[in-house]
């Protein structure tokens, strides 16, 4: 590893590829970094970790060149801002860095947006803003038909379709999301609908406080299958949760399946939930999502809603058999057990 003083005596073209300990005060972070929010406690922990076991990976920098092709005395940070911020917080004076040539403007942009889109802990609203900024800088914001061709270079992963749907929302619907009246989950679900329907469903969701999961899995699919349906009709026809069963069954829309078939269908759904519970608990998936606020919220919200509906169903059944049912049977019905019969808390 070279010394910064020795390196400074060489022509700049010989710097590239060198690994050097660089004083942190000579490193300038990218002012155009699309990610501007960092958890300070997390950074302090990272800094202490570097102090304890050393810096595991080099940051990447490129020299700032003056007009006469000489070094200006500073480096621009290309990759490793978290490590740079952490080092400053704990008073670390130098960082090990790899020096590379300055990338082209497009390469820098691809790097910036990829870093944003691939940061798991970043809120999807921030990713939408970052992607929009990149599309503007690439001069293709008004050419959505070509966005997909940039997906890989911009680092678009599984969230890409949802991000694009939000960018293509009707302006007034997008504004409701930016004001916090609807969240990202609701906004991207609304984005699946024709533009002329979007504000109508957004207003219905806000006024009636519709749950995002119910909207995305029930109401929006219903409105896609029945384009002439109003939001109120979609809500009424989907709130019982079996509208798909009727549209796909051999029975006409005016006739429901026999009661035993409807019960069997419900019980099959319950089995699917039990299997999903096994995946969550017994495979350790609950622990795997720790630290991801979005996934933690989605799973806890789903579990809460299932528990609420299970309790409501148990109470209604208990009322039907009130002549011989004991009140304690309600709580017994709601208890969750593992495969050995032990209660799961």
């Amino acid at each position: 590893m070279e010394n910064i003083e020795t390196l400074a005596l060489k022509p700049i073209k010989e710097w590239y590829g060198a690994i050097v300990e660089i004083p942190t005060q000579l490193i300038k972070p990218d002012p155009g970094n699309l990610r501007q929010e960092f958890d300070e406690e997390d950074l302090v922990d990272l800094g202490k970790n570097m102090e304890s076991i050393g810096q595991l990976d080099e940051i990447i920098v490129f020299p700032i060149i003056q007009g006469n092709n000489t070094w200006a005395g500073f480096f621009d940070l290309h990759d490793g801002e978290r490590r740079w911020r952490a080092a400053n917080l704990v008073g670390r004076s130098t960082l090990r860095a790899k020096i590379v040539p300055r990338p082209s403007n497009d390469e820098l942009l691809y790097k910036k947006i990829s870093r944003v889109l691939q940061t798991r802990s970043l809120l999807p609203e921030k990713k939408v803003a970052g992607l929009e900024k990149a599309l503007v800088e690439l001069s293709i914001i008004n050419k959505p038909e070509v966005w997909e061709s940039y997906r890989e270079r911009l680092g678009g992963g599984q969230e890409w379709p949802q991000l694009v749907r939000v960018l293509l929302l009707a302006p007034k619907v997008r504004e409701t999301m930016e004001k916090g009246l609807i969240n990202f989950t609701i906004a991207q679900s609304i984005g699946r609908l024709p533009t002329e329907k979007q504000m109508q469903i957004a207003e219905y969701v806000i006024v009636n406080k519709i749950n995002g999961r119910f909207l995305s899995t029930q109401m929006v699919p219903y409105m896609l299958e029945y384009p002439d349906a109003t939001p109120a009709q979609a809500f009424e026809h989907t709130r019982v949760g079996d509208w798909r069963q009727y549209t796909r069954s051999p029975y006409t829309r005016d006739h429901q399946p026999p009661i035993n078939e409807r019960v069997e269908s419900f019980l099959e759904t319950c089995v699917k939930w039990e299997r999903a519970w096994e995946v969550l608990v017994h495979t350790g998936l609950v622990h795997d999502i720790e630290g991801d606020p979005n996934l933690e919220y989605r799973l806890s919200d789903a579990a809460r809603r299932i528990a609420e509906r299970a309790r409501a169903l148990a109470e209604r059944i208990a009322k039907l058999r009130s002549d011989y049912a004991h009140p304690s049977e309600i709580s017994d019905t709601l208890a969750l057990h593992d495969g050995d019969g032990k209660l799961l808390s």
Side-chain angles (χ1 to χ4, degrees), residues 258-271:
I259 185 73
N260 62 312
E261 289 188 22
R262 292 157 61 192
V263 170
E264 287 300 322
S265 176
F266 170 77
L267 294 177
E268 287 177 6
T269 303
C270 291
V271 170

Side-chain angles (χ1 to χ4, degrees), residues 256-302:
Q256 292 186 351
I259 185 73
N260 62 312
E261 289 188 22
R262 292 157 61 192
V263 170
E264 287 300 322
S265 176
F266 170 77
L267 294 177
E268 287 177 6
T269 303
C270 291
V271 170
K272 291 180 181 178
W273 162 244
E274 290 174 351
R275 290 173 180 169
W277 180 266
E278 290 177 359
V279 170
L280 283 170
V281 177
H282 296 300
T283 67
L285 185 58
V286 168
H287 302 291
D288 293 339
I289 66 168
E290 185 178 0
D292 189 322
N294 182 44
L295 292 180
E296 289 176 351
Y297 169 78
R298 291 171 63 187
L299 290 184
S300 63
D301 184 58

Side-chain angles (χ1 to χ4, degrees), residues 74-176:
F74 295 93
F75 294 89
D76 271 334
L77 183 58
H78 184 44
D79 184 57
E81 184 162 343
R82 286 185 70 252
R83 280 163 285 172
W84 177 80
R85 287 175 176 264
N88 283 314
L89 283 174
V90 298
R92 187 182 178 93
S93 60
T94 65
L95 282 172
R96 192 171 72 257
K98 181 177 182 179
I99 302 176
V100 299
R102 182 182 180 87
S104 68
N105 290 336
D106 280 355
E107 288 176 320
L108 283 175
L109 180 61
Y110 295 144
K111 179 69 176 181
K112 290 177 186 177
I113 188 61
S114 295
R115 188 181 299 126
V116 168
L117 296 187
Q118 294 174 11
T119 301
R120 289 181 56 193
S121 60
L122 202 61
L123 292 175
E125 291 85 350
K126 298 292 184 182
K127 296 184 180 182
V128 169
L131 178 57
E132 184 173 39
K133 181 178 175 63
L135 297 176
V136 168
E137 292 190 22
L138 289 169
S139 300
I140 58 172
I141 188 64
N142 295 320
K143 300 177 182 179
E145 67 276 7
V146 304
W147 292 357
E148 183 66 24
S149 64
Y150 286 81
R151 178 174 179 171
E152 186 174 344
R153 281 174 286 177
L154 292 172
Q158 294 181 347
E159 291 179 299
W160 177 270
Q162 291 81 15
L163 299 175
V164 168
R165 281 203 289 267
V166 171
L167 286 178
L168 293 175
L169 280 172
K172 288 187 177 179
V173 180
R174 176 84 181 274
E175 186 178 341
T176 62

Side-chain angles (χ1 to χ4, degrees), residues 169-178 182 186-187 190-191 195 197-202:
L169 280 172
K172 288 187 177 179
V173 180
R174 176 84 181 274
E175 186 178 341
T176 62
M177 187 192 81
E178 292 169 350
I182 60 176
I186 291 174
I190 292 175
T195 304
K197 286 273 190 179
Q198 290 179 3
M199 195 59 203
Q200 186 183 19
I201 188 69

Side-chain angles (χ1 to χ4, degrees), residues 299-330:
L299 290 184
S300 63
D301 184 58
R304 175 188 60 77
R305 288 185 291 105
I306 288 172
E308 288 175 353
R309 294 188 180 189
R311 180 175 295 278
L313 175 62
E315 290 175 350
R316 290 186 65 181
I317 293 174
K319 287 180 181 179
L320 294 176
R321 47 200 284 262
S322 58
D323 290 341
Y324 56 88
H326 190 277
S328 64
E329 290 181 19
I330 296 177

